[in-house]
Amino acid sequence: MTRKRCALVFCFLTVCFFSWNLLSMLKENKNKKGYILRLLVVDDSSTMRRIIKNTLARLGYKDVLEAEHGAAAWQVMQENSDIDVLITDWNMPEMNGLELVKKVRAESKYEDMPIIMVTTEGGKAEVITALRAGVNNYIVKPFTPQVLKEKLEDVLG
């Protein structure tokens, strides 16, 4: 093979490789109907919301809404009927995460919505209380991105 042909093959393979990597980075997570998943992150700490949103973005979740407490989250849910996953803190003003979970579970349209509680409340009694209220999975702060990834994969199936 001539040098010119080798250079062309090399360029072609390089372009293919970088295109494939770019496409895999742009991959967005979708629900069972093929639509891009929309998540709602609820935490009274703007720093924690940012950490969770940045982690979700690195995992491919680009459509993420946020709220600073349960009452604001409920309003967001009423305005956006296509939320697929709720990720909420427990301890918040106005309406805490446990109250939000109970309110969400009381509505039949949200009965199958995966809910993950992310909180500092790590005692066995608190975990049991959250699970009984309708939480699908539980993460104790501080956590790693890998833990969030695993819990999301678990609730999404």
Side-chain angles (χ1 to χ4, degrees), residues 55 144-151 153:
T55 301
T144 64
Q146 183 63 31
V147 169
L148 182 57
K149 179 180 186 260
E150 290 170 1
K151 300 293 184 172
E153 288 173 351

Side-chain angles (χ1 to χ4, degrees), residues 30 34 43 55 58 60-61 65 82 85 92 94 96 102 105 107 116 123-124 145 152 154:
K30 299 186 177 184
D43 200 301
T55 301
R58 284 194 305 273
Y61 298 96
L65 304 173
D82 57 347
V85 179
M92 299 178 290
E94 295 197 39
N96 69 39
K102 290 176 180 178
R105 288 298 186 225
E107 296 281 329
I116 300 174
K124 184 178 179 181
L152 267 171
D154 184 51

Side-chain angles (χ1 to χ4, degrees), residues 82-96:
D82 57 347
I83 295 172
D84 297 292
V85 179
L86 174 62
I87 300 174
T88 184
D89 184 22
W90 187 320
N91 297 308
M92 299 178 290
E94 295 197 39
M95 180 191 295
N96 69 39

Side-chain angles (χ1 to χ4, degrees), residues 62-73:
K62 307 294 185 199
D63 193 359
V64 181
L65 304 173
E66 62 181 279
E68 63 187 31
H69 50 72

Side-chain angles (χ1 to χ4, degrees), residues 1 7 10 27-28 31 36 38 40 44-45 48 50-51 55 67 74 80 86 89 99 102 113 136-137 145-146 148:
M1 200 182 306
F10 176 77
K27 177 193 116 192
E28 293 189 343
N31 63 17
I36 294 171
R38 176 172 270 184
L40 174 58
D44 58 325
S45 165
M48 185 53 65
R50 187 174 62 249
I51 288 168
T55 301
W74 184 251
N80 299 274
L86 174 62
D89 184 22
E99 293 168 336
K102 290 176 180 178
M113 175 187 284
N136 299 92
N137 224 316
Q146 183 63 31
L148 182 57

Side-chain angles (χ1 to χ4, degrees), residues 6-36:
C6 284
L8 281 171
V9 169
F10 176 77
C11 287
F12 175 76
L13 292 174
T14 303
V15 168
C16 289
F17 175 77
F18 285 111
S19 297
W20 180 80
N21 277 341
L22 182 60
L23 286 174
S24 66
M25 286 189 309
L26 294 175
K27 177 193 116 192
E28 293 189 343
N29 291 287
K30 299 186 177 184
N31 63 17
K32 292 174 183 172
K33 295 178 182 176
Y35 299 108
I36 294 171

